[in-house]
Amino acid sequence: MPAGRHFLQIPGPTNVPDRVLRAIDRPTIDHRGPEFQLLGKEVLEGMKRIFRTRHPVVIYPASGTGAWEAALVNTLSPKDKVLMAETGHFAALWHKMAKKLSLDVELIPGDWRHGADHAAIERRLAADTGRAIKAVCVVHNETSTGVTSRIAEIRAAIDRAMHPALFMVDTISSLASIDYRHEEWRVDVTVAGSQKGLMLPPGLGFNAVSEKALAASKTARLPRSYWDWQPMLQANDKGYFPYTPATNLLYGLKEALAMLAEEGLANVFARHDRHAEATRRAVKAWGLEILCAEPREYSSSLTAVLMPQGHSADALRQTILDRFDMSLGSGLGRLADKVFRIGHLGDFNDLMLAGTLGGIEMGLGVAGVPHQRGGITAALDYLAGNRAA
Ligand SMILES: Cc1ncc(COP(=O)(O)O)c(C=O)c1O
């Protein structure tokens, strides 16, 4: 085993802070007892502040994929028409799931370098005079590309089309990293997971649910049992769960919520913006290309970097893992071997970023990838000149 700490710089799961690890490392308690009830109430309320909603948040013992499924099966019926935007690999996976669930999905094509096209969504909704489209589904931060879709603008596009479709948003790699407002943007179901901005291990999936989504769930006919909101919300009312919850992850969630409250969400977002900008300065100084083609859509939680023609991203990542004990994100789907992804989200600070960029710059040299030196200096100059909040 190499000495020193491993650098886990994939865009999730992220580094779990010691405070959260210590919180999880406690005896599991009776999930039907009074001590659990207090914990249940506290984390269910606390998550509302993270999603910025007054309405219910559902917590599943599941990965993000489960929370995707829960959003669809609670609100829709077989053959319902759903509009999705192809922003990258994760949007493609959600699309595939919706088809498997017998939904009639229309995909607005994308080039995997831009966010969801709000003008195309507006045109499609405006043309839907029969109001056949029941839901619009968008991935806020596309983890495969490092592109952040502009959710407020998509909300405005749906409003301009005066379309009643439900609006569902995946915030798996943006929640608690990038500004997000479930209620203000009138999102009906927001999907999230524990292993990214919330700084927890994988294992919790979330749905933030609007009143409109809750009303839709009363008549939605897709089969559901484990994911059913109704028994969940009934039990949650008293701080409990209808089946065994992931108690120890909820200890961790309570601690993570305390950490986010201490820092303040606005400061958390500013910290992510600052580290993302420093990372992009390093990438540009190396002479490499950022995959995201629209600066307004640069992701603050990760940066995907295109490899120069003829060079393998996977070979570079392997070199960096072998030599410097750092994991970087791989290219997914059609981007396999073409990009590497730098995760700069979660429990992360200036020195961790300096170490991350140092490992990449050294790795580029060892792997013989054409680049200019000076990426780290460009990033450090930016950090030094722009103090953290
Ligand atoms: C944007 C996005 N959506 C969905 C998923 C799937 O979540 P999970 O792997 O937790 O099931 C991920 C995982 O990285 C993701 O980044």
Side-chain angles (χ1 to χ4, degrees):
M1 288 294 287
R5 233 181 175 157
H6 174 69
F7 267 61
L8 180 68
Q9 295 316 137
I10 59 175
T14 62
N15 294 288
V16 181
D18 290 349
R19 267 178 73 175
V20 171
L21 289 173
R22 296 294 85 80
I24 291 171
D25 179 14
R26 284 177 41 209
T28 304
I29 53 171
D30 173 12
H31 59 282
R32 305 198 198 280
E35 191 184 343
F36 184 90
Q37 185 175 33
L38 294 175
L39 172 68
K41 282 191 174 162
E42 186 168 341
V43 293
L44 287 163
E45 276 307 304
M47 281 310 294
K48 292 183 186 176
R49 291 191 285 277
I50 303 297
F51 282 105
R52 304 224 212 152
T53 179
R54 288 165 300 165
H55 300 296
V57 173
V58 170
I59 307 178
Y60 295 105
S63 84
T65 302
W68 262 350
E69 181 161 338
L72 300 175
V73 297
N74 275 288
T75 53
L76 299 166
S77 298
K79 307 273 186 290
D80 270 357
K81 220 173 186 7
V82 175
L83 192 62
M84 289 183 153
E86 186 202 3
T87 47
H89 183 67
F90 289 103
L93 286 179
W94 202 8
H95 171 242
K96 198 166 146 191
M97 171 190 276
K99 284 204 298 192
K100 278 191 196 166
L101 292 171
S102 81
L103 295 166
D104 175 9
V105 201
E106 194 177 313
L107 193 63
I108 295 182
D111 66 357
W112 293 36
R113 298 193 72 172
H114 292 83
D117 180 346
H118 55 84
I121 292 173
E122 183 175 346
R123 278 195 301 277
R124 186 61 194 87
L125 292 178
D128 179 34
T129 48
R131 302 308 191 220
I133 296 170
K134 299 298 176 213
V136 175
C137 300
V138 175
V139 175
H140 181 209
N141 186 70
E142 181 49 81
T143 324
S144 62
T145 62
V147 178
T148 307
S149 287
R150 288 167 279 159
I151 299 303
E153 292 185 29
I154 298 170
R155 172 75 262 171
I158 299 172
D159 289 348
R160 275 194 301 274
M162 291 190 290
H163 200 289
L166 293 166
F167 188 23
M168 305 202 202
V169 179
D170 168 341
T171 62
I172 289 177
S173 60
S174 56
L175 193 77
S177 302
I178 299 171
D179 187 16
Y180 184 78
R181 306 164 191 208
H182 173 87
E183 198 169 330
E184 184 181 325
W185 295 339
R186 280 179 294 118
V187 178
D188 293 299
V189 190
T190 301
V191 174
S194 53
Q195 72 273 28
K196 311 221 183 208
L198 291 174
M199 309 177 285
L200 295 169
L204 297 179
F206 303 87
N207 279 176
V209 180
S210 74
E211 285 177 323
K212 185 170 154 187
L214 213 50
S217 75
K218 304 272 162 59
T219 52
R221 286 179 288 102
L222 274 178
R224 57 184 179 271
S225 169
Y226 184 79
W227 306 117
D228 196 347
W229 288 339
Q230 294 304 331
M232 190 61 120
L233 293 175
Q234 260 172 27
N236 284 175
D237 227 22
K238 296 194 166 55
Y240 294 116
F241 285 73
Y243 39 71
T244 314
T247 306
N248 289 55
L249 287 179
L250 299 179
Y251 295 153
L253 179 57
K254 179 178 159 181
E255 191 64 24
L257 289 169
M259 290 175 70
L260 291 167
E262 285 163 25
E263 186 172 357
L265 270 187
N267 293 332
V268 171
F269 301 149
R271 173 165 56 82
H272 283 77
D273 291 343
R274 183 169 165 273
H275 288 150
E277 177 59 25
T279 302
R280 291 190 293 268
R281 290 189 184 215
V283 174
K284 286 175 193 160
W286 290 325
L288 299 179
E289 193 180 348
I290 294 165
L291 180 67
C292 178
E294 168 57 75
R296 279 181 304 173
E297 296 174 337
Y298 281 149
S299 168
S300 285
S301 49
L302 77 137
T303 301
V305 183
L306 273 163
M307 291 296 285
Q309 270 298 323
H311 291 269
S312 157
D314 289 345
L316 172 67
R317 289 189 316 105
Q318 190 65 50
T319 300
I320 291 171
L321 180 62
D322 292 345
R323 290 286 290 265
F324 309 113
D325 196 23
M326 175 163 70
S327 298
L328 294 170
S330 61
L332 296 171
R334 70 159 86 141
L335 295 170
D337 208 26
K338 294 191 171 64
V339 303
F340 64 92
R341 294 173 300 141
I342 309 167
H344 34 72
L345 74 162
D347 185 42
F348 197 60
N349 63 28
D350 287 9
L351 288 188
M352 292 165 88
L353 179 62
T356 301
L357 298 174
I360 297 170
E361 189 160 321
M362 288 191 287
L364 290 167
V366 174
V369 177
H371 70 288
Q372 283 114 48
R373 299 185 63 179
I376 307 167
T377 312
L380 297 189
D381 284 350
Y382 175 77
L383 293 178
N386 292 271
R387 285 187 50 200

